[in-house]
Amino acid sequence: MDNSSIADNFSLLSKLMDIHGDNSFKAKSYAAAAFTIDKLPAELSELDPEKIFVIRGIGDTIGKKILEQIETGRLLALDEYLAKTPPGIIEMLRIKGLGPKKISTIWKELESENLGELLYACNENRLTLYKGFGEKTQQNIKEAIEFYLGSLGSHLYQQIEPFVESVTRKLTEEFSGQQFIVTGSFRRQMEIIEIPEWVTDLDINELCEFFTHHEYECITGDNGYVTVQGKDNMVLGFFCCEASELYQRLFTTSCSAAFLDAWQEKTGWQPTDIFSSEEDIFKAAGIAFIPAFGREDARVIDAYRTGTPREVIQPGDIRGIIHTHSKWSDGSHTIEQMARSAMAQGYEYLVISDHSRSAFYANGLDEARLEAQHREIDELNRMLTPFRIFKSIESDILNDGNLDYPAEVLARFDLVIASVHSNLKMTEDKAMARLLQAIQNPYTSILGHMTGRLLLSRAGYPVDHQKIIDACAAHQVVIELNAHPRRLDMDWRWIPAALDKGVLISIDPDSHSADSFSDCRFGVLAAQKGGLTRENNLSSFSLPEFEAFLQTQHAKR
Ligand SMILES: [Zn+2]
Ligand SMILES: [Zn+2]
């Protein structure tokens, strides 16, 4: 068992004890242990057992329970609590804003045992009858449950990618000579995938036989569409067709509904027409080939009919790693480790942007530590030249929209990334006031993760995208496309509007370790959907181009 699983077990145990109203002193000590273990640099399972007992914050009881987990893979005390708690109550812990105390009230007093019941109780305003639940809280809980239920059965692109690849590989091995081509939302590189889908010329009965044999349930629908569902609730979709129909089937299932409607209208396309490749479909229509990722918005069709299509950005076009955290704040590697890793992967520069002082939970940097960090970067730059490390900060945008340091400190950075990290619960007016204030600050070069959304778990605060884009254009601020697969924020749907205004985008990995620069690829896949080009992406700038960009930024100050 690794540290994070052990920490998760202690954390869950602590919460369940609180829900049951048991020994709160003990519950607190398990929560504290979870926190400590999560932060440990070494794996507990690799330590000498004696060493475990002397770690600060881990006493005899916790130490024994750690050994129990390493040896047996289980935590008996947790199993006992799990056995006496309804699954619906445990699931409530996944709802934002519902802690053990509130869940205890919901279970014991309101007598709701699952999310469906609780949602119903919210609709009937019953929650407000209990201590600790105002109208506002009830509304928040209701929205959080709706959000959670709406996202069940959905997957992040990055989460499902290895699965899709392995299914394709296995099927191709099993049925040599048959085609299994990925289609649907996955082929369109959507950030969230509900059902991964394939087009195949395999006989429908053979397909079902195969999956039934592997304990999947097989449901045949219309038009040769088959869904198969595994025990883990994973659903896969297959469009079965004749070999001669493969490509028109691939085409129609790779377009959004709006795109396909417009396509039929504009080209007179008949689904019964036979083609031997997707390229032929476009040739016949007299329209340049539109890759599947671009088949979302109907307007794309006209753009590809009339002009030479713009060459969209490719994963290999990232030349610098912008927005990274080192050990100085909440990252797990030193600046040197980050820089050497970036160099080894062929990048030309690295922008270190640790957290600013208000982010105390992330070990944000005060002025004294900043000075020391900058000395370290100077030293490394001498050593690693021509590779360059730039001094940056991910400055919190404070409640009033100001950045986290006075101007004379901000002036010491090569560039400033401004992001909201606290008080995320805002009305649109409040969020806009805060963001616009930060954009106007002459030290702001990049606006970080614009909405604060976390895909499938947090909706993000409401913003007026167009107004932000306009303000960024007016103040020469770059908008980040945070490439973390759970963020992908700003949403790619707004890239065309940003390009219209001449606003640069920056695909940034927001790396907290040297191993996650590759997340840039997820940012690129999303950016392709918005038609981003290399020229409009800051992190595709060469080192001299990036230095010239900094010059123009410093002229604002
Ligand atoms: Zn951030
Ligand atoms: Zn960050």
Side-chain angles (χ1 to χ4, degrees), residues 77-78 95 159 177 209 276 296 377 404 410 415 445 477 496 507:
L78 175 61
I95 301 301
Q159 287 174 332
E209 208 170 289
S276 57
E296 292 286 348
I377 292 178
D404 207 1
L410 292 171
L415 74 157
S445 290
V477 169
I507 298 177

Side-chain angles (χ1 to χ4, degrees), residues 476-492:
Q476 298 171 57
V477 169
V478 178
I479 297 178
E480 174 176 86
L481 196 171
N482 192 298
H484 191 285
R486 195 169 278 284
R487 287 193 183 269
L488 299 174
D489 184 11
M490 173 176 89
D491 194 297
W492 57 265

Side-chain angles (χ1 to χ4, degrees), residues 117-130:
E117 287 174 10
L118 179 56
L119 189 60
Y120 195 70
C122 289
N123 283 331
E124 291 196 328
N125 263 325
R126 283 195 287 130
L127 218 52
T128 52
L129 304 176
Y130 298 92

Side-chain angles (χ1 to χ4, degrees), residues 367-385:
E367 290 176 35
R369 291 179 66 226
L370 268 180
E371 253 174 65
Q373 189 195 45
H374 287 182
R375 276 197 301 275
E376 182 179 316
I377 292 178
D378 289 336
E379 183 73 19
L380 284 167
N381 272 330
R382 273 192 287 278
M383 202 160 83
L384 303 176
T385 188

